[in-house]
Structures are given as C-alpha cells and as structure tokens.
Amino acid sequence: MEFFIDTANIDEIRTAESWGIISGVTTNPSLVSREEDDFFELLKSIAGFVNGPVSAEVTSSATNEMIEEGKKLASLASNIVVKIPMTPEGTAAVRTLSQDGIPTNVTLVFSPQQALLAARAGASYVSPFVGRLDDIGEDGVGLVRDIAELFSVHDLDTKIIAASIRHPRHVFECALAGADIATVPFKVLRQCYSHPLTERGLESFMTDWNRYRKNHGG
Ligand code: E4P
C-alpha cells in the first residue's frame, strides 16, 4: 500500500515528502478552503513539486460542467487527477474524461456497488471514506475489504484509495484489507511514526553512547 497525504497545505506536503514516504496528494474543497492561496495557483504549485498524482476536486454537479472543470484542472499539470463525486452525472463525466485520457478519482464512495459503478465508468481511482462510515456505526475498513475483493474477482484495475483516515490503526487495517493507497492527514502520518518504546529506546542508546564517548575521551 502506498501513502498519499490528504491535505492542501504546502508545508505539510513538503515535510511529509522530506520523510521519503509520500507518493501522491489528495485535496478536497474543505481542505482547500483552509488555505489562503488561489485554488489554481495552489494546485499548480503542489503539482509542481510533488512527484506523483495530485487529486483536485470539481465543484460543479452537472456532467458537462464537471467535464469542463476537469479539463481545466487537468491542463494545470500532467500529474493532476480529477476528483469527481459519486453521482450518475459524475460517472458520466468520468467516462468522458477517461476516454480523453484524463485520470479520475471518484470520491464520496460509501458502498461496494458505488465502487463498481465508478470502476465501470473508467475511474482510475475510487475513494471509500473509512472514517465517515465508522462515524455512523458502520465498518469503514470492511468496505475497503469488500471493494478489494470485488475488484479482484472481476479483474478491475481501478485503484482503491482508502480515504477519511482518522488514526494509525486505520492505516494498517486498510493495508491488510487490500487498499492500494491510503490518503492520510499529516497528523495521522506523524502519529504512525510514534511508539513509546522507539522513543525510550532511542533515548537510552544516546545516553549510553554519550557515556561511552566521554569514557573514551570523545
Ligand atoms: C480524500 O480524498 C477525502 O476527501 C478525505 O480523506 C475526507 O476526509 P474526512 O472524512 O476526514 O473529511
């Protein structure tokens, strides 16, 4: 499973990139609304330094408008992926964009049948929302598992991006469930590094090393 970062914040993306673990970025209108920059400038800048796909979401709801918006977004950089909501109008836009060679990511997926529809329309990626399903007492990781099985049984090459990741446990559970990618907020990525025994172990190695150096005239 690969890691994408789920943010539109340039500092967060640059920091996570410097850790050597990020292979793409996802944004959505809510994440973009937290930033000051102009949407198109922000996307151009993110896509310019990220070595991998950058999902940018359309905000219209009619098929023709989504196609137009998608083409405009895709023209900003070759690594832009057009994010389209899971609606009938959305799958129609996905079909046209994919026929034009523009990669798409179908978002707001909450059931296996929605994922199948998106894949059949030609989506490059589907984004099941794990945390938001858990929030209503359903099984978000179970959804990822079902979609992975469905895509495997039917030999579909649409990639699964586990989205709406809330905590480190989601990360490894989605990996085990068969997600191709997890798009993870900065805070959760940072949490994934953390273990009290790693921190304590590092501290005691350094204490021992400094004592050794002192004793050996270092
Ligand atoms: C990413 O593609 C999604 O838009 C994002 O993960 C949603 O996360 P949220 O449920 O925390 O808003």
Side-chain angles (χ1 to χ4, degrees), residues 6 28 83 129 132 163-164 166 183:
D6 196 22
N28 64 33
K83 221 171 169 193
F129 276 37
R132 292 195 199 184
S164 188
R166 297 280 160 77
T183 190

Side-chain angles (χ1 to χ4, degrees), residues 84-92 94 104-130 132-133 136 138 140 143-144 146-148 150-151 156 158-160:
I84 306 264
M86 179 58 229
T87 60
E89 294 78 11
T91 54
V94 166
T104 54
N105 171 2
V106 173
T107 189
L108 292 164
V109 166
F110 291 96
S111 74
Q113 55 275 24
Q114 288 181 324
L116 188 56
L117 291 167
R120 286 297 179 210
S124 323
Y125 304 92
V126 288
S127 291
F129 276 37
V130 174
R132 292 195 199 184
L133 262 189
I136 59 161
E138 292 195 24
L143 172 63
V144 172
D146 286 345
I147 297 172
L150 202 53
F151 284 6
L156 292 163
T158 301
K159 289 195 169 166
I160 303 168

